[in-house]
Amino acid sequence: QVQLVESGGGLVQAGGSLRLSCAVSASSLNNYLIGWFRQAPGKEREFLGHIVWWPGTTVVADSVKGRFDISKDSAKNTMYLQMNSLKPDDTAVYYCAARLTWRYEYELWGPGTQVTVSS
């Protein structure tokens, strides 16, 4: 069973940076794709990007491309979301989620971490 836990959220001023972590517990992630999402109050969940654990290819959504980046540390089974030039509109709960590479639905979710960007 794959379990995910996000960390690194907090309060940051506009223009600042945060790095979120997603620690994944699993015997093997080679058949998994791990994604980042966020959901702001009153808004739909938004896809931010994903990483195909093996071979490590990443996709970043156009809405945050150039400001956000995704990476991983395979030795730590941890994925990161580096967020730069943060804006108040980035305020949301950020989630990581996992799915098998041949499935379309993300089936496993972390509890989320709150990011608040003050103006």
Side-chain angles (χ1 to χ4, degrees):
Q1 181 80 12
V2 175
Q3 293 183 318
L4 307 98
V5 178
E6 306 90 342
S7 61
L11 175 64
V12 63
Q13 287 190 329
S17 298
L18 274 178
R19 189 178 77 160
L20 305 183
S21 299
C22 174
V24 189
S25 62
S27 57
S28 174
L29 291 172
N30 287 342
N31 292 320
Y32 281 90
L33 182 151
I34 314 294
W36 281 106
F37 296 80
R38 68 184 178 187
Q39 188 163 22
K43 294 187 177 181
E44 292 188 353
R45 188 169 59 204
E46 179 184 8
F47 170 75
L48 300 176
H50 70 235
I51 189 164
V52 183
W53 201 262
W54 185 89
T57 51
T58 61
V59 168
V60 178
D62 288 344
S63 61
V64 296
K65 192 174 292 184
R67 295 193 302 125
F68 290 11
D69 194 25
I70 293 174
S71 62
K72 70 177 174 79
D73 184 334
S74 294
K76 296 181 179 180
N77 265 19
T78 300
M79 180 176 74
Y80 302 101
L81 180 67
Q82 178 68 44
M83 306 186 293
N84 301 319
S85 303
L86 284 163
K87 308 172 184 179
D89 283 350
D90 295 317
T91 295
V93 178
Y94 285 69
Y95 301 90
C96 59
R99 66 172 172 88
L100 291 163
T101 55
W102 55 86
R103 292 189 178 270
Y104 294 105
E105 297 291 329
Y106 285 85
E107 299 169 315
L108 304 161
W109 292 80
T113 186
Q114 175 71 45
V115 171
T116 302
V117 184
S118 63
S119 57

